[in-house]
Short mmCIF file of all heavy atoms in Angstrom, two decimals:
data_model
loop_
_atom_site.label_atom_id
_atom_site.label_comp_id
_atom_site.label_asym_id
_atom_site.label_seq_id
_atom_site.Cartn_x
_atom_site.Cartn_y
_atom_site.Cartn_z
N ASP A 1 -32.30 -68.25 -45.98
CA ASP A 1 -31.07 -67.37 -46.19
C ASP A 1 -30.84 -66.42 -45.12
O ASP A 1 -29.83 -66.07 -44.68
CB ASP A 1 -31.28 -66.55 -47.48
CG ASP A 1 -31.04 -67.43 -48.73
OD1 ASP A 1 -30.46 -68.55 -48.59
OD2 ASP A 1 -31.31 -67.01 -49.87
N SER A 2 -31.91 -65.90 -44.49
CA SER A 2 -31.84 -64.87 -43.53
C SER A 2 -31.31 -65.36 -42.19
O SER A 2 -30.95 -64.53 -41.20
CB SER A 2 -33.11 -64.18 -43.29
OG SER A 2 -34.14 -65.06 -42.92
N VAL A 3 -31.31 -66.68 -42.03
CA VAL A 3 -30.81 -67.22 -40.68
C VAL A 3 -29.61 -68.13 -40.84
O VAL A 3 -28.99 -68.46 -39.86
CB VAL A 3 -31.95 -68.16 -40.04
CG1 VAL A 3 -33.27 -67.40 -39.93
CG2 VAL A 3 -32.09 -69.47 -40.79
N GLN A 4 -29.11 -68.37 -42.04
CA GLN A 4 -27.95 -69.12 -42.30
C GLN A 4 -26.76 -68.42 -41.67
O GLN A 4 -26.55 -67.25 -41.78
CB GLN A 4 -27.76 -69.34 -43.83
CG GLN A 4 -26.65 -70.38 -44.17
CD GLN A 4 -26.65 -70.85 -45.58
OE1 GLN A 4 -27.50 -70.30 -46.37
NE2 GLN A 4 -25.76 -71.62 -45.94
N GLY A 5 -25.94 -69.23 -40.99
CA GLY A 5 -24.81 -68.76 -40.18
C GLY A 5 -25.16 -68.35 -38.77
O GLY A 5 -24.24 -68.18 -37.95
N ARG A 6 -26.42 -68.20 -38.44
CA ARG A 6 -26.92 -67.88 -37.10
C ARG A 6 -27.67 -68.94 -36.36
O ARG A 6 -27.53 -69.07 -35.26
CB ARG A 6 -27.73 -66.62 -37.14
CG ARG A 6 -27.03 -65.47 -37.72
CD ARG A 6 -27.88 -64.18 -37.53
NE ARG A 6 -29.15 -64.15 -38.24
CZ ARG A 6 -30.38 -64.10 -37.70
NH1 ARG A 6 -30.43 -64.10 -36.37
NH2 ARG A 6 -31.50 -64.19 -38.42
N PHE A 7 -28.45 -69.72 -37.17
CA PHE A 7 -29.14 -70.84 -36.56
C PHE A 7 -28.56 -72.18 -36.93
O PHE A 7 -27.86 -72.31 -38.01
CB PHE A 7 -30.63 -70.81 -37.18
CG PHE A 7 -31.45 -69.61 -36.67
CD1 PHE A 7 -30.86 -68.55 -35.91
CD2 PHE A 7 -32.85 -69.55 -37.04
CE1 PHE A 7 -31.74 -67.52 -35.61
CE2 PHE A 7 -33.63 -68.56 -36.56
CZ PHE A 7 -33.03 -67.50 -35.88
N ALA A 8 -28.79 -73.14 -36.18
CA ALA A 8 -28.32 -74.47 -36.35
C ALA A 8 -29.28 -75.61 -35.91
O ALA A 8 -29.84 -75.55 -34.96
CB ALA A 8 -27.00 -74.76 -35.57
N ILE A 9 -29.65 -76.44 -36.90
CA ILE A 9 -30.64 -77.56 -36.62
C ILE A 9 -29.82 -78.77 -36.39
O ILE A 9 -28.84 -78.98 -36.98
CB ILE A 9 -31.63 -77.70 -37.82
CG1 ILE A 9 -32.69 -78.69 -37.42
CG2 ILE A 9 -30.93 -78.16 -39.10
CD1 ILE A 9 -33.84 -78.79 -38.53
N SER A 10 -30.32 -79.53 -35.48
CA SER A 10 -29.67 -80.86 -35.03
C SER A 10 -30.82 -81.74 -34.69
O SER A 10 -31.88 -81.36 -34.33
CB SER A 10 -28.52 -80.63 -34.02
OG SER A 10 -29.09 -80.04 -32.80
N ARG A 11 -30.34 -83.06 -34.41
CA ARG A 11 -31.23 -84.07 -33.94
C ARG A 11 -30.56 -85.05 -33.06
O ARG A 11 -29.32 -85.43 -33.29
CB ARG A 11 -32.01 -84.73 -35.07
CG ARG A 11 -31.20 -85.55 -36.03
CD ARG A 11 -31.90 -85.91 -37.23
NE ARG A 11 -33.13 -86.69 -37.02
CZ ARG A 11 -34.15 -86.80 -37.86
NH1 ARG A 11 -34.17 -86.14 -38.99
NH2 ARG A 11 -35.17 -87.63 -37.44
N ASN A 12 -31.27 -85.61 -32.18
CA ASN A 12 -30.79 -86.78 -31.36
C ASN A 12 -31.84 -87.86 -31.60
O ASN A 12 -32.95 -87.78 -30.80
CB ASN A 12 -30.63 -86.44 -29.87
CG ASN A 12 -29.98 -87.49 -29.03
OD1 ASN A 12 -30.19 -88.67 -29.31
ND2 ASN A 12 -29.24 -87.13 -28.04
N ASN A 13 -31.64 -88.81 -32.46
CA ASN A 13 -32.51 -89.83 -32.65
C ASN A 13 -32.91 -90.79 -31.44
O ASN A 13 -34.01 -91.30 -31.39
CB ASN A 13 -32.16 -90.66 -33.81
CG ASN A 13 -32.21 -89.91 -35.22
OD1 ASN A 13 -33.03 -88.93 -35.28
ND2 ASN A 13 -31.48 -90.37 -36.20
N ALA A 14 -31.85 -90.95 -30.61
CA ALA A 14 -32.09 -91.75 -29.47
C ALA A 14 -33.12 -91.06 -28.52
O ALA A 14 -33.78 -91.83 -27.68
CB ALA A 14 -30.77 -91.98 -28.68
N LYS A 15 -33.16 -89.78 -28.55
CA LYS A 15 -34.11 -89.04 -27.74
C LYS A 15 -35.47 -88.61 -28.47
O LYS A 15 -36.29 -87.96 -27.99
CB LYS A 15 -33.50 -87.88 -27.07
CG LYS A 15 -32.34 -88.24 -26.12
CD LYS A 15 -31.81 -86.93 -25.54
CE LYS A 15 -30.73 -87.25 -24.50
NZ LYS A 15 -30.28 -86.07 -23.85
N ASN A 16 -35.54 -88.99 -29.77
CA ASN A 16 -36.66 -88.70 -30.65
C ASN A 16 -36.87 -87.14 -30.57
O ASN A 16 -38.00 -86.57 -30.46
CB ASN A 16 -37.99 -89.25 -30.07
CG ASN A 16 -38.10 -90.61 -30.69
OD1 ASN A 16 -37.12 -91.29 -31.12
ND2 ASN A 16 -39.35 -91.16 -30.71
N THR A 17 -35.76 -86.37 -30.62
CA THR A 17 -35.88 -84.90 -30.51
C THR A 17 -34.99 -84.19 -31.59
O THR A 17 -33.88 -84.64 -31.91
CB THR A 17 -35.26 -84.49 -29.11
OG1 THR A 17 -36.08 -85.06 -28.15
CG2 THR A 17 -35.40 -83.06 -28.90
N VAL A 18 -35.58 -83.14 -32.11
CA VAL A 18 -34.85 -82.19 -33.00
C VAL A 18 -34.69 -80.87 -32.24
O VAL A 18 -35.63 -80.48 -31.56
CB VAL A 18 -35.65 -82.16 -34.38
CG1 VAL A 18 -37.06 -81.55 -34.28
CG2 VAL A 18 -34.74 -81.29 -35.42
N TYR A 19 -33.68 -80.17 -32.54
CA TYR A 19 -33.35 -78.94 -31.92
C TYR A 19 -33.09 -77.82 -32.95
O TYR A 19 -32.67 -78.09 -34.09
CB TYR A 19 -31.99 -79.08 -30.95
CG TYR A 19 -32.08 -80.15 -30.12
CD1 TYR A 19 -31.60 -81.36 -30.39
CD2 TYR A 19 -32.57 -80.00 -28.73
CE1 TYR A 19 -31.55 -82.50 -29.59
CE2 TYR A 19 -32.69 -81.08 -27.91
CZ TYR A 19 -32.10 -82.38 -28.26
OH TYR A 19 -32.09 -83.27 -27.35
N LEU A 20 -33.35 -76.58 -32.51
CA LEU A 20 -33.01 -75.50 -33.25
C LEU A 20 -32.22 -74.50 -32.40
O LEU A 20 -32.77 -73.98 -31.45
CB LEU A 20 -34.19 -74.72 -33.94
CG LEU A 20 -33.87 -73.70 -34.89
CD1 LEU A 20 -33.10 -74.14 -36.18
CD2 LEU A 20 -35.00 -72.82 -35.28
N GLN A 21 -30.86 -74.28 -32.67
CA GLN A 21 -30.17 -73.31 -31.86
C GLN A 21 -30.21 -71.99 -32.57
O GLN A 21 -29.86 -71.94 -33.78
CB GLN A 21 -28.70 -73.84 -31.80
CG GLN A 21 -27.70 -72.83 -31.00
CD GLN A 21 -28.04 -72.87 -29.62
OE1 GLN A 21 -28.18 -73.83 -28.98
NE2 GLN A 21 -28.10 -71.58 -28.98
N LEU A 22 -30.64 -70.96 -31.89
CA LEU A 22 -30.80 -69.62 -32.47
C LEU A 22 -29.77 -68.82 -31.80
O LEU A 22 -29.73 -68.56 -30.62
CB LEU A 22 -32.18 -69.11 -32.23
CG LEU A 22 -33.44 -69.77 -32.87
CD1 LEU A 22 -33.74 -71.05 -32.06
CD2 LEU A 22 -34.53 -68.79 -32.84
N ASN A 23 -28.92 -68.27 -32.71
CA ASN A 23 -27.73 -67.46 -32.19
C ASN A 23 -27.89 -65.95 -32.84
O ASN A 23 -28.55 -65.87 -33.97
CB ASN A 23 -26.45 -68.03 -32.45
CG ASN A 23 -26.16 -69.37 -31.81
OD1 ASN A 23 -26.51 -69.49 -30.62
ND2 ASN A 23 -25.72 -70.24 -32.59
N SER A 24 -27.18 -65.06 -32.30
CA SER A 24 -27.13 -63.65 -32.65
C SER A 24 -28.58 -63.23 -33.22
O SER A 24 -28.79 -62.73 -34.27
CB SER A 24 -26.22 -63.63 -34.02
OG SER A 24 -24.91 -64.06 -33.66
N LEU A 25 -29.46 -63.36 -32.29
CA LEU A 25 -30.92 -63.09 -32.57
C LEU A 25 -31.15 -61.58 -32.85
O LEU A 25 -30.57 -60.75 -32.33
CB LEU A 25 -31.79 -63.51 -31.39
CG LEU A 25 -31.96 -65.09 -31.37
CD1 LEU A 25 -32.58 -65.48 -30.03
CD2 LEU A 25 -32.96 -65.50 -32.53
N LYS A 26 -32.01 -61.35 -33.79
CA LYS A 26 -32.44 -60.10 -34.30
C LYS A 26 -33.93 -59.88 -33.97
O LYS A 26 -34.63 -60.78 -33.92
CB LYS A 26 -32.15 -59.95 -35.79
CG LYS A 26 -30.75 -60.19 -36.21
CD LYS A 26 -30.58 -60.03 -37.68
CE LYS A 26 -29.16 -60.40 -38.12
NZ LYS A 26 -29.09 -60.36 -39.56
N PRO A 27 -34.44 -58.60 -33.84
CA PRO A 27 -35.81 -58.38 -33.68
C PRO A 27 -36.61 -58.96 -34.69
O PRO A 27 -37.80 -59.51 -34.45
CB PRO A 27 -35.99 -56.83 -33.62
CG PRO A 27 -34.66 -56.35 -33.15
CD PRO A 27 -33.67 -57.40 -33.76
N GLU A 28 -36.25 -59.05 -35.96
CA GLU A 28 -37.01 -59.66 -37.07
C GLU A 28 -37.10 -61.20 -36.97
O GLU A 28 -37.86 -61.80 -37.64
CB GLU A 28 -36.42 -59.26 -38.39
CG GLU A 28 -34.95 -59.60 -38.57
CD GLU A 28 -34.10 -58.40 -38.36
OE1 GLU A 28 -34.30 -57.63 -37.32
OE2 GLU A 28 -33.10 -58.24 -39.15
N ASP A 29 -36.39 -61.72 -36.05
CA ASP A 29 -36.58 -63.18 -35.75
C ASP A 29 -37.84 -63.47 -34.82
O ASP A 29 -38.12 -64.69 -34.51
CB ASP A 29 -35.37 -63.80 -35.00
CG ASP A 29 -34.15 -63.76 -35.98
OD1 ASP A 29 -34.23 -64.06 -37.13
OD2 ASP A 29 -33.02 -63.55 -35.44
N THR A 30 -38.43 -62.39 -34.39
CA THR A 30 -39.66 -62.66 -33.53
C THR A 30 -40.75 -63.24 -34.24
O THR A 30 -41.21 -62.72 -35.23
CB THR A 30 -40.03 -61.26 -32.90
OG1 THR A 30 -39.06 -60.76 -32.12
CG2 THR A 30 -41.28 -61.37 -32.10
N ASP A 31 -41.11 -64.48 -33.86
CA ASP A 31 -42.15 -65.30 -34.49
C ASP A 31 -42.60 -66.36 -33.48
O ASP A 31 -41.92 -66.63 -32.53
CB ASP A 31 -41.59 -65.83 -35.83
CG ASP A 31 -41.70 -64.96 -36.93
OD1 ASP A 31 -42.78 -64.35 -37.18
OD2 ASP A 31 -40.71 -64.78 -37.63
N ALA A 32 -43.73 -67.02 -33.96
CA ALA A 32 -43.97 -68.34 -33.39
C ALA A 32 -43.18 -69.42 -34.21
O ALA A 32 -43.31 -69.38 -35.40
CB ALA A 32 -45.50 -68.56 -33.39
N TYR A 33 -42.48 -70.24 -33.50
CA TYR A 33 -41.76 -71.32 -34.09
C TYR A 33 -42.41 -72.71 -34.03
O TYR A 33 -42.90 -73.02 -32.90
CB TYR A 33 -40.35 -71.30 -33.57
CG TYR A 33 -39.49 -70.24 -34.08
CD1 TYR A 33 -39.74 -68.92 -33.55
CD2 TYR A 33 -38.42 -70.46 -35.05
CE1 TYR A 33 -38.95 -67.86 -34.04
CE2 TYR A 33 -37.64 -69.34 -35.46
CZ TYR A 33 -37.94 -68.01 -34.99
OH TYR A 33 -37.09 -67.01 -35.45
N PHE A 34 -42.47 -73.43 -35.09
CA PHE A 34 -43.06 -74.81 -35.05
C PHE A 34 -42.13 -75.78 -35.60
O PHE A 34 -41.30 -75.53 -36.53
CB PHE A 34 -44.31 -74.75 -35.96
CG PHE A 34 -45.28 -73.66 -35.61
CD1 PHE A 34 -45.13 -72.36 -36.15
CD2 PHE A 34 -46.48 -74.02 -34.90
CE1 PHE A 34 -46.09 -71.45 -35.87
CE2 PHE A 34 -47.34 -73.05 -34.61
CZ PHE A 34 -47.19 -71.72 -35.17
N CYS A 35 -42.29 -76.98 -35.14
CA CYS A 35 -41.58 -78.14 -35.86
C CYS A 35 -42.59 -79.08 -36.39
O CYS A 35 -43.79 -79.17 -36.08
CB CYS A 35 -40.67 -78.86 -34.79
SG CYS A 35 -41.58 -79.91 -33.56
N ASN A 36 -42.13 -79.80 -37.36
CA ASN A 36 -43.00 -80.76 -38.12
C ASN A 36 -42.21 -81.72 -38.91
O ASN A 36 -41.00 -81.50 -39.25
CB ASN A 36 -43.95 -80.08 -39.02
CG ASN A 36 -45.33 -80.78 -39.10
OD1 ASN A 36 -45.49 -82.05 -38.76
ND2 ASN A 36 -46.36 -80.10 -39.67
N THR A 37 -42.70 -82.94 -39.19
CA THR A 37 -42.03 -83.76 -40.22
C THR A 37 -42.27 -83.18 -41.54
O THR A 37 -43.24 -82.41 -41.80
CB THR A 37 -42.64 -85.12 -40.15
OG1 THR A 37 -43.95 -85.17 -40.66
CG2 THR A 37 -42.65 -85.77 -38.75
N HIS A 38 -41.44 -83.49 -42.48
CA HIS A 38 -41.56 -82.97 -43.83
C HIS A 38 -42.84 -83.43 -44.45
O HIS A 38 -43.54 -82.72 -45.07
CB HIS A 38 -40.34 -83.45 -44.68
CG HIS A 38 -40.57 -83.25 -46.08
ND1 HIS A 38 -40.48 -81.96 -46.75
CD2 HIS A 38 -40.78 -84.14 -47.19
CE1 HIS A 38 -40.62 -82.11 -48.02
NE2 HIS A 38 -40.83 -83.32 -48.21
N ASN A 39 -43.17 -84.71 -44.26
CA ASN A 39 -44.34 -85.33 -44.79
C ASN A 39 -45.55 -84.68 -44.29
O ASN A 39 -46.59 -84.35 -45.09
CB ASN A 39 -44.46 -86.77 -44.69
CG ASN A 39 -43.46 -87.50 -45.58
OD1 ASN A 39 -42.96 -86.97 -46.51
ND2 ASN A 39 -43.21 -88.75 -45.17
N GLN A 40 -45.69 -84.42 -43.01
CA GLN A 40 -46.85 -83.85 -42.48
C GLN A 40 -46.97 -82.29 -42.92
O GLN A 40 -48.07 -81.82 -43.06
CB GLN A 40 -46.84 -83.85 -40.96
CG GLN A 40 -47.07 -85.33 -40.41
CD GLN A 40 -47.21 -85.36 -38.94
OE1 GLN A 40 -47.55 -86.41 -38.38
NE2 GLN A 40 -46.70 -84.41 -38.18
N ALA A 41 -45.91 -81.61 -43.06
CA ALA A 41 -45.95 -80.27 -43.52
C ALA A 41 -46.41 -80.14 -44.99
O ALA A 41 -47.22 -79.35 -45.22
CB ALA A 41 -44.48 -79.65 -43.35
N VAL A 42 -45.97 -81.03 -45.80
CA VAL A 42 -46.50 -81.13 -47.17
C VAL A 42 -47.86 -81.43 -47.18
O VAL A 42 -48.63 -80.81 -47.98
CB VAL A 42 -45.61 -82.17 -47.99
CG1 VAL A 42 -46.25 -82.34 -49.35
CG2 VAL A 42 -44.21 -81.71 -48.13
N ARG A 43 -48.34 -82.47 -46.48
CA ARG A 43 -49.78 -82.72 -46.43
C ARG A 43 -50.55 -81.60 -46.00
O ARG A 43 -51.70 -81.29 -46.46
CB ARG A 43 -49.99 -83.98 -45.51
CG ARG A 43 -51.32 -84.39 -45.63
CD ARG A 43 -51.58 -85.76 -44.97
NE ARG A 43 -51.23 -85.87 -43.58
CZ ARG A 43 -50.12 -86.37 -43.00
NH1 ARG A 43 -49.31 -87.06 -43.81
NH2 ARG A 43 -49.97 -86.45 -41.75
N ALA A 44 -50.06 -80.80 -44.96
CA ALA A 44 -50.87 -79.76 -44.51
C ALA A 44 -51.00 -78.62 -45.53
O ALA A 44 -52.06 -77.94 -45.66
CB ALA A 44 -50.15 -79.06 -43.23
N ARG A 45 -49.91 -78.38 -46.33
CA ARG A 45 -50.04 -77.44 -47.48
C ARG A 45 -51.02 -77.81 -48.53
O ARG A 45 -51.84 -77.10 -48.98
CB ARG A 45 -48.66 -77.20 -48.09
CG ARG A 45 -47.70 -76.38 -47.12
CD ARG A 45 -46.52 -75.91 -48.00
NE ARG A 45 -45.91 -76.87 -48.79
CZ ARG A 45 -44.86 -77.63 -48.38
NH1 ARG A 45 -44.32 -77.44 -47.21
NH2 ARG A 45 -44.17 -78.47 -49.20
N LEU A 46 -51.03 -79.13 -48.83
CA LEU A 46 -51.90 -79.63 -49.85
C LEU A 46 -53.32 -79.64 -49.25
O LEU A 46 -54.24 -79.42 -50.17
CB LEU A 46 -51.50 -81.03 -50.18
CG LEU A 46 -50.13 -81.21 -50.89
CD1 LEU A 46 -49.82 -82.64 -51.18
CD2 LEU A 46 -50.19 -80.43 -52.38
N MET A 47 -53.60 -79.77 -48.04
CA MET A 47 -54.87 -79.83 -47.58
C MET A 47 -55.45 -78.37 -47.22
O MET A 47 -56.59 -78.27 -46.76
CB MET A 47 -54.97 -80.74 -46.33
CG MET A 47 -54.67 -82.16 -46.68
SD MET A 47 -56.01 -82.92 -47.70
CE MET A 47 -57.33 -82.86 -46.58
N GLY A 48 -54.54 -77.42 -47.25
CA GLY A 48 -54.92 -76.07 -46.74
C GLY A 48 -55.13 -75.98 -45.32
O GLY A 48 -55.81 -75.14 -44.88
#
């Protein structure tokens, strides 16, 4: 919710790449950003 309207996710399957466009950045957006597949993220949560 806090990024909707400011960030945009996209992908180019021919390049095996996913993107995140960050616009109108705020200080509270300061973080380490990670990408992952949905399945690997779920597995990571389940495995702690």
